[in-house]
Amino acid sequence: MSHASAASSRHTRFPTLTQGAKAALVTLMIGAVCLALEPVAPWLVKWPAAWTVPATDWVGTVLGALFEALKPVARLFSDLMRYPMEWANMALTLTPWPLIIGAVTALGWILGGVPMAVMGLAGLSFVLASGYWVESMNTLALVAVSVPLALIVGMTLGIAANEFPRIKGALQVVLDVMQTVPTFAYLTPLLLLFGFGPVVGLIASAIYAAPPMARNVMLGLERIDPEIKEAAVMSGGTRAQQLFQVEIPSASTQIMVGVNQCLMAALSMVIIAAVIGGFNDIGWEVLLTMRKAQFGQSLLAGFVIVVFAVVIDRMSGVLAADRRHRYDPRVAWAILGLALAFTAAFWTRLPDPATFTLLSPLAEGIDTGLTRFTQANGAWLDGFKNGAMFYVLLPLRIGLDEAVLPFTWGFAWTPAMSLWLFAASAAIATLMVLRNHITGAALFMIAVGVLETGVANLPWPFVLTAVAALGSVAGGRRLAILSVGLLLTILVSGLWERALLSIYLSGAAVFACAVVGGAIGLLSAVSPLVWKIVRPICDMLQTIPLFVFLIPMLMFFQIGEFSAFLAICAYAIVPMIRYTRHGLVTTPPEMLEGAVASGATEWQTLRDVRAPYAAPTILLGLNQTILYAFAMLVIAALIGTTGLGQSIYLALGQADVGLGISAGAAMAILAFIADRLVQGFAEDRRAALGL
């Protein structure tokens, strides 16, 4: 045998390990060592309490002292903000309802003609018929005051980043933190600073809604054609004139996208802030009726929020369009005139909006129908919920060795079963290695180990090693070190077990969204008819505030982890559907023509051409799904989750700023790491495709 053939044979038997294979094998080895040494070194699995740093107490002490110093200024600002709040409340609640409906209808005509006018008229009429007119106007008053505040702050930050490039990087980090910190985490320090009441909701909404505005202002100013900037400079104007008379108008389309996102974020946060707002707004009605298990009324109040979200989204979205049709303003004036004439004609006999209860029978019918449905199908619903919990979620959470019990599975899991499971898995992994699927074999063994042990019981060295391995593959050594360093802060702060519980539930929801959402996105890409059906559903789901997702889950499955899981899936699945479809339908025509010319079937084209090209876009969809899942995880604490979300909610009820900030920071760290890892893999795929 020649030297060349011998070298070739050795290469075939012992293939070179890729970076991913090395990372997976190291992770597998660390996990196996930890589990093997658990009887003699239990600290390898459970972080010892003696090694925990009282970071929560430290944070509470420092921030408590800081807030005490800032409280006089904060309370003064709160008192000042009460005036515009009261003015907006008076303006909206004292204005006769026909005039408000007429004004919204006229605005709809100006923005979008007949369809938009009809939408505004129908939407506000639904709000009136629901009996929640006053509560809705109070909510709109909060939005009306918080949005201008958020727009001013966001606009200022965006312009500052454009004018002073040195602060741009730091500002990006601040915006990332503001958007990854859970919404409830905002409320605890604000409650201590500004006190209990609607002003807290106003300020929380402004803080939450400012980052989208800032990002879009920065993006719009960055994308201005250099020729436009040069023309502004050559005209001899000052820097302020160039900015406000040339650049900002040129970026107006992107800035209006920011206004749209700012409005939606403010509306969503106003509903969440109702938890501590405690005044007569629609968010408080949703929360109150949910607590009383009046699901018909809760769903009706939730639909009112959805109506506002849809109307605001569609009308503000028109402002972001590049080209907009001009409609005759005389029609809008005519609509306003009719509303004014109607109000004047029936001024003394104009019904109080609180007396409109046209939809109350619908709410009662929902409660009655729900009662009958649950009585008739309660066994099936409980069986479905218990099956999902006992056979899927619980094993994933605490492992087969703890979840398989006579009460749940009909038998008890034994150590011998674990040995047989690992032996069978090792045999399958060996076959994969013989076929040169080394990375897949290692990942398969890791997955089996996680299932047997449970996410909540994973050894901390294994988790740190796994994150370091993912970071090194996705973004290199720097990302690996950063990710491990951030996780260590959670580990030593005593929040590790709660963090693992959050990873378990959000991870399960993300996996379900990836499978189901990916399949729906695939069907939507290959079938225009399916997309016509799916698209309006996705549009509706993206405009529904987070709070409302909890209502139908409570209606059918009551309080519990399964209801929280479904709520997270319902909120987080939309990005996966949209990005999967978009990635598959945007394959360059020349690539498709080449596949057809080579004789590939439609399935082969989809598998070998479209899917690889769409991979970066699909990964971005997965990234958004992960962030959505973490955002919803905290809201789902209202209906029975455990982990960091529950800690944040408990901290809010106890006004424990240390626990609230620490748990919120831990949640933000998990979201930040997941975001950077997925973005790293997406960038790697783009580079591989030459994009």
Side-chain angles (χ1 to χ4, degrees):
M1 182 182 291
S2 66
H3 292 292
S5 61
S8 176
S9 176
R10 286 195 300 271
H11 180 72
T12 301
R13 288 183 184 178
F14 305 103
T16 303
L17 294 179
T18 63
Q19 184 183 7
K22 293 177 182 177
L25 288 172
V26 170
T27 304
L28 177 61
M29 182 180 65
I30 294 296
V33 169
C34 289
L35 292 179
L37 296 179
E38 181 180 6
V40 295
W43 57 270
L44 282 174
V45 177
K46 298 292 184 182
W47 180 262
W51 297 359
T52 300
V53 175
T56 299
D57 296 334
W58 294 348
V59 171
T61 301
V62 172
L63 290 181
L66 178 62
F67 289 166
E68 283 298 322
L70 296 176
K71 189 177 292 184
V73 177
R75 294 299 169 92
L76 176 61
F77 181 74
S78 177
D79 291 337
L80 292 175
M81 292 306 297
R82 290 184 188 277
Y83 292 106
M85 274 285 304
E86 291 174 357
W87 297 338
N89 254 334
M90 290 177 60
L92 288 170
T93 55
L94 297 182
T95 301
W97 53 265
L99 289 181
I100 294 179
I101 295 176
V104 172
T105 306
L107 179 61
W109 167 264
I110 290 292
L111 294 175
V114 173
M116 199 74 73
V118 171
M119 183 188 70
L121 175 62
L124 271 291
S125 298
F126 176 85
V127 173
L128 180 65
S130 70
Y132 287 119
W133 182 265
V134 175
E135 293 83 356
S136 301
M137 293 303 105
N138 289 336
T139 297
L140 282 186
L142 273 173
V143 174
V145 180
S146 63
V147 167
L149 186 61
L151 292 177
I152 292 171
V153 173
M155 195 81 177
T156 302
L157 293 176
I159 292 174
N162 182 72
E163 295 301 298
F164 306 101
R166 291 183 178 180
I167 69 170
K168 186 174 182 178
L171 184 58
Q172 288 277 19
V173 173
V174 172
L175 294 176
D176 286 341
V177 171
M178 291 175 69
Q179 288 195 297
T180 53
V181 170
T183 49
F184 271 167
Y186 286 120
L187 301 183
T188 305
L190 292 178
L191 180 64
L192 295 179
L193 278 173
F194 298 99
F196 186 87
V199 174
V200 182
L202 184 154
I203 296 169
S205 300
I207 293 174
Y208 185 65
M213 184 63 189
R215 289 189 185 280
N216 280 279
V217 170
M218 292 164 58
L219 185 61
L221 293 175
E222 285 175 1
R223 290 182 174 179
I224 296 175
D225 194 330
E227 295 180 357
I228 295 177
K229 294 183 178 181
E230 292 173 4
V233 172
M234 293 179 65
S235 66
T238 63
R239 179 58 196 144
Q241 289 173 328
Q242 296 170 23
L243 179 65
F244 290 101
Q245 296 181 15
V246 178
E247 294 182 11
I248 290 180
S250 300
S252 60
T253 299
Q254 190 67 46
I255 291 173
M256 291 311 301
V257 172
V259 173
N260 172 262
Q261 295 180 2
C262 182
L263 280 164
M264 299 304 294
L267 180 62
S268 177
M269 191 63 189
V270 161
I271 305 304
I272 295 168
V275 175
I276 60 171
F279 93 122
N280 191 29
D281 67 341
I282 196 66
W284 181 251
E285 285 296 322
V286 172
L287 184 62
L288 193 62
T289 50
M290 280 174 56
R291 288 174 175 173
K292 294 180 179 178
Q294 297 173 345
F295 294 119
Q297 286 298 127
S298 182
L299 195 62
L300 185 60
F303 275 131
V304 170
I305 299 172
V306 173
V307 165
F308 276 129
V310 171
V311 171
I312 291 173
D313 179 56
R314 295 297 183 270
M315 289 191 176
S316 60
V318 171
L319 297 175
D322 291 327
R323 294 181 180 179
R324 188 157 55 88
H325 183 75
R326 302 290 181 180
Y327 294 93
D328 192 345
R330 292 175 296 182
V331 176
W333 286 112
I335 294 172
L336 284 174
L338 286 174
L340 184 60
F342 180 87
T343 303
F346 295 95
W347 180 261
T348 57
R349 291 174 291 172
L350 204 61
D352 186 345
T355 62
F356 282 92
T357 56
L358 299 178
L359 298 180
S360 293
L362 176 62
E364 295 172 1
I366 291 174
D367 282 332
T368 303
L370 178 63
T371 301
R372 292 175 180 172
F373 179 82
T374 51
Q375 288 176 349
N377 301 278
W380 180 86
L381 290 173
D382 287 341
F384 177 68
K385 178 175 70 174
N386 292 336
M389 284 297 303
F390 293 155
Y391 301 114
V392 180
L393 293 179
L394 197 60
L396 185 61
R397 177 180 177 178
I398 59 177
L400 290 171
D401 55 350
E402 293 185 23
V404 178
L405 301 170
F407 171 71
T408 56
W409 288 57
F411 61 91
W413 190 267
T414 63
M417 292 180 181
S418 295
L419 291 176
W420 279 107
L421 175 65
F422 284 124
S425 303
I428 296 173
T430 302
L431 292 176
M432 296 175 69
V433 170
L434 293 176
R435 298 192 176 193
N436 288 340
H437 299 304
I438 300 176
T439 305
L443 292 177
F444 173 73
M445 289 298 299
I446 290 172
V448 172
V450 170
L451 182 61
E452 198 274 342
T453 305
V455 174
N457 297 325
L458 290 176
W460 59 267
F462 167 79
V463 177
L464 294 179
T465 304
V467 171
L470 287 171
S472 64
V473 175
R477 182 180 300 178
R478 183 176 179 182
L479 179 58
I481 294 173
L482 175 62
S483 300
V484 172
L486 290 174
L487 281 182
L488 282 173
T489 63
I490 301 177
L491 183 63
V492 301
S493 66
L495 296 172
W496 185 255
E497 292 183 2
R498 282 173 272 189
L500 289 181
L501 289 172
S502 297
I503 293 173
Y504 138 73
L505 189 57
S506 58
V510 167
F511 179 79
C513 289
V515 173
V516 178
I520 296 174
L522 173 62
L523 290 174
S524 301
V526 299
S527 173
L529 177 61
V530 172
W531 180 236
K532 286 183 180 179
I533 298 172
V534 170
R535 183 176 182 177
I537 297 175
C538 290
D539 290 342
M540 182 189 70
L541 289 175
Q542 284 199 304
T543 54
I544 296 177
L546 283 73
F547 224 76
V548 182
F549 283 94
L550 306 182
I551 301 172
M553 308 310 165
L554 283 176
M555 289 171 62
F556 294 105
F557 299 105
Q558 290 79 47
I559 290 177
E561 197 168 89
F562 184 64
S563 297
F565 169 78
L566 292 180
I568 296 170
C569 290
Y571 179 67
I573 196 172
V574 175
M576 200 67 211
I577 296 173
R578 288 191 180 278
Y579 279 81
T580 300
R581 179 197 171 271
H582 180 72
L584 292 172
V585 300
T586 54
T587 308
E590 57 271 17
M591 294 179 67
L592 298 177
E593 292 171 1
V596 172
S598 65
T601 63
E602 185 175 349
W603 166 249
Q604 290 173 328
T605 302
L606 179 65
R607 183 191 62 190
D608 299 330
V609 179
R610 285 190 173 188
Y613 186 84
T617 305
I618 295 174
L619 283 172
L620 290 179
L622 179 64
N623 178 40
Q624 291 297 304
T625 295
I626 292 171
L627 296 179
Y628 276 41
F630 275 112
M632 190 65 191
L633 186 64
V634 184
I635 309 301
L638 290 167
I639 59 173
T641 64
T642 53
L644 294 172
Q646 185 187 52
S647 298
I648 294 171
Y649 184 62
L650 291 176
L652 179 61
Q654 301 165 3
D656 187 343
V657 66
L659 178 59
I661 293 296
S662 299
M667 187 78 82
I669 285 172
L670 296 179
F672 175 82
I673 292 173
D675 173 66
R676 291 299 183 267
L677 290 176
V678 177
Q679 283 196 28
F681 283 113
E683 289 295 333
D684 184 63
R685 289 302 306 158
R686 283 199 198 92
L689 293 170
L691 299 177

